[in-house]
Amino acid sequence: MNSIRRVAAISAFIALPALSVQAQIVERPVPFDSAGIVTVMTPFLADRAGLHPPWWPVSGEFTDARLFTSNDSTYVLAVTRRTGVVERYSLSGSDREAIRAVVSRLPRETIMARTDARNEFIRQQTLLGLFVYGPAFAGAIGDNAGTQSAGYLVVAGGSFFVASEISRRMFIGRPQADLSANMGLNGALIGWGTTYLTGAGDQGQFAGAFIGGLTGAALGVRIARNMTEADAVGAAWGSDIGALIAFGTLEAIRGEDTCMFDPVNFTETCSGRRLSNRAEVATIIGAGIIGYPLGVLYPRNAAYNVTAGDIQTLATTTALGAGAGIALLNKNTTYSHGAVMATIGGVVGMMAGDRFLVRRYDHDRDEADRIALGTGAGALMGAGIAALGKSTRENPHVIGGLAVGGGLAGLIITERYLDPNPDAGRRRLRVTFNTASIPLLAARTPGNHSLINVRF
């Protein structure tokens, strides 16, 4: 009996490694859609797809969800909560098919707007660290050159590691990368302007810029979580163009300093501008903040389809219009007149871009970048032609006119060359009547017979 027990014990020890190997589970990630694009489910996509129980077991707020399988018949849904806790749910094959069918019906633009933009986020935040966060922190910590240099280097380099850690802990989509970069820059300007209005000194203003930049970047990541790419770009554009229009308008209203010289007493008396610097800064800050929600309304409520690339083309046409307005001025013009013409020209250029580009076509972001490059190249060629003649070099009208004309020609040629997709339009409410159901309803035929169909 003792020998039998020894053999059984030895056999058990030998079998333990084999059992542990057999018990090991190897899971592989699988996409949520049939095209294999959606590998990470975000709250935005879950909301747009209308995922709900019983085949979608997740409730409450979460950061992201990933799907895994071990044998193509059972699935595991790993859900990351905002606290960092990971919850795992078992899904059947039918549940997975139901989720895949719903997610696969999402528009491609909606899906692609939420793809991972980790590298873009890290790159943009690192650039902000080099040119915004670092200089602001260096100016806030003191007047010693050594201390400022050390502070700048620490913050500029640390921006990369902080952004990398943030992107590791949470999903960063392209809308979040775009809006956080814009709000990081604008937040620094708002922080500087706010401390300037309160009468803070130079160090206080630098500190305000540093805190405002970090706060703006954090808000951008959070606010853009449930935005499309067009929403995020539209919000950024609304803030930028709102602040620029306010700046141009106020500069036109403020006028110039007027001075009178008394030749008898040899004294000069100057009257100040009509608005103070503080009033102008406060108005520009307010216009920039209000521009964010107004910018989101543009792609969401337009009667035509507005993509992120469409909004980027407006920056090109706005700059071209501002240049055209300035080109109409003579060389003896005043600064306020230049502000008036640049503002009016920019607004007209923006409206023209909306009318002739955004309404007719759907541009992607690569096409928008090439349009900007083509416009700039055409403007350089136009200015080069103006520089050929001695008489034209002394005439700002000719130089500006040829530069703007060359930019417009470059825009048109590039647009023709790219041949972007026509505007997809918006889904509209459509009501149809099914006359074939009338006799079935009159005869009280059992079944579902729709007389009116409403699609939206």
Side-chain angles (χ1 to χ4, degrees):
M1 180 65 70
N2 291 333
S3 61
I4 294 175
R5 290 178 178 175
R6 292 193 191 97
V7 172
I10 294 172
S11 301
F13 281 114
I14 295 174
L16 279 175
L19 290 174
S20 62
V21 172
Q22 292 177 358
Q24 184 179 8
I25 299 176
V26 178
E27 296 178 341
R28 59 182 178 85
V30 292
F32 287 91
D33 63 328
S34 57
I37 300 176
V38 183
T39 57
V40 178
M41 180 61 62
T42 63
F44 172 80
L45 287 180
D47 180 68
R48 290 297 177 94
L51 301 180
H52 58 80
W55 33 269
W56 178 255
V58 185
S59 62
E61 294 187 353
F62 66 98
T63 301
D64 59 68
R66 301 172 189 269
L67 190 62
F68 301 89
T69 183
S70 57
N71 54 15
D72 293 332
S73 60
T74 58
Y75 299 87
V76 174
L77 184 67
V79 180
T80 303
R81 299 291 183 178
R82 298 193 180 280
T83 58
V85 175
V86 178
E87 300 175 357
R88 298 173 70 85
Y89 301 89
S90 297
L91 298 180
S92 64
S94 59
D95 292 338
R96 194 259 175 155
E97 290 300 323
I99 295 173
R100 180 165 61 176
V102 173
V103 176
S104 298
R105 289 197 294 266
L106 288 173
R108 185 175 180 84
E109 181 185 1
T110 301
I111 294 175
M112 296 306 294
R114 303 302 297 185
T115 53
D116 193 354
R118 176 183 301 178
N119 291 338
E120 182 67 16
F121 173 75
I122 295 174
R123 184 183 69 85
Q124 292 176 346
Q125 291 302 313
T126 302
L127 291 175
L128 286 175
L130 291 171
F131 300 106
V132 178
Y133 307 149
F137 183 78
I141 60 176
D143 299 329
N144 183 274
T147 304
Q148 290 180 337
S149 299
Y152 170 79
L153 294 175
V154 170
V155 173
S159 300
F160 168 80
F161 295 102
V162 172
S164 299
E165 181 63 17
I166 292 174
S167 64
R168 187 185 70 84
R169 290 179 174 270
M170 63 182 298
F171 176 81
I172 299 294
R174 186 61 188 267
Q176 292 170 296
D178 290 333
L179 194 59
S180 63
N182 177 270
M183 293 189 71
L185 176 59
N186 289 352
L189 295 175
I190 292 173
W192 168 82
T194 302
T195 51
Y196 169 77
L197 293 176
T198 58
D202 291 341
Q203 285 185 253
Q205 293 176 22
F206 279 117
F210 177 70
I211 297 173
L214 295 182
T215 304
L219 288 175
V221 171
R222 182 172 180 82
I223 293 173
R225 184 184 59 193
N226 294 323
M227 283 185 175
T228 64
E229 196 170 342
D231 293 341
V233 177
W237 170 249
S239 176
D240 293 343
I241 195 64
L244 288 174
I245 291 176
F247 173 73
T249 303
L250 292 174
E251 285 296 311
I253 294 175
R254 291 183 70 180
E256 304 287 339
D257 288 331
T258 56
C259 298
M260 298 183 64
F261 179 73
D262 186 355
V264 177
N265 299 318
F266 291 96
T267 58
E268 186 178 46
T269 304
C270 296
S271 60
R273 303 170 75 178
R274 286 186 284 270
L275 292 175
S276 65
N277 291 334
R278 295 181 183 276
E280 184 172 4
V281 170
T283 304
I284 293 174
I285 290 176
I289 294 175
I290 295 174
Y292 279 112
L294 294 180
V296 177
L297 297 178
Y298 176 50
R300 289 185 179 181
N301 296 279
Y304 40 90
N305 190 43
V306 179
T307 65
D310 287 337
I311 300 174
Q312 285 185 327
T313 60
L314 295 181
T316 302
T317 59
T318 300
L320 195 62
I326 295 174
L328 297 175
L329 300 172
N330 57 46
K331 59 183 179 181
N332 296 322
T333 189
T334 62
Y335 176 75
S336 60
H337 290 164
V340 170
M341 296 304 295
T343 303
I344 294 175
V347 172
V348 172
M350 180 176 61
M351 296 173 62
D354 175 80
R355 175 64 180 84
F356 296 104
L357 297 180
V358 178
R359 292 174 184 258
R360 297 184 179 183
Y361 306 102
D362 281 341
H363 302 84
D364 59 36
R365 302 186 74 158
D366 290 336
E367 291 172 340
D369 291 339
R370 294 174 69 178
I371 288 174
L373 290 174
T375 303
L380 291 176
M381 294 177 65
I385 294 174
L388 291 176
K390 180 178 179 180
S391 59
T392 57
R393 287 198 300 267
E394 299 175 355
N395 192 333
H397 293 291
V398 177
I399 297 176
L402 287 176
V404 172
L408 180 60
L411 187 152
I412 295 173
I413 293 172
T414 306
E415 181 78 5
R416 295 283 184 179
Y417 174 76
L418 294 174
D419 191 21
N421 295 324
D423 187 80
R426 290 284 192 186
R427 292 184 178 181
R428 304 192 180 196
L429 183 68
R430 185 174 63 178
V431 180
T432 58
F433 296 92
N434 188 7
T435 56
S437 299
I438 296 178
L440 298 176
L441 293 172
R444 298 183 178 181
T445 304
N448 295 324
H449 309 289
S450 59
L451 180 61
I452 301 175
N453 293 324
V454 180
R455 296 182 180 181
F456 54 90

